[in-house]
Amino acid sequence: MARVAGRNVAISWIAGVLCAGVVAALLWLSMPMMPVMVSFVGDALRSTLP
């Protein structure tokens, strides 16, 4: 990424780590829904394939 005048490297690292933490937390919270989604996709594929 190009260096932009006025951008603080430390703040951008902190923001990047916080964003990665939010994404990880959302993935963690969505884990209980995974078996339901796998079942839904499997049923949809079985019903559309001959």
Side-chain angles (χ1 to χ4, degrees):
M1 188 162 91
R3 299 279 295 179
V4 178
R7 178 173 289 167
N8 188 343
V9 177
I11 297 298
S12 65
W13 267 98
I14 292 170
V17 169
L18 286 175
C19 288
V22 168
V23 170
L26 289 173
L27 286 173
W28 178 258
L29 290 172
S30 70
M31 290 300 254
M33 196 64 178
M34 288 300 171
V36 175
M37 286 302 297
V38 169
S39 174
F40 176 76
V41 170
D43 290 344
L45 287 174
R46 278 192 289 279
S47 69
T48 59
L49 296 177

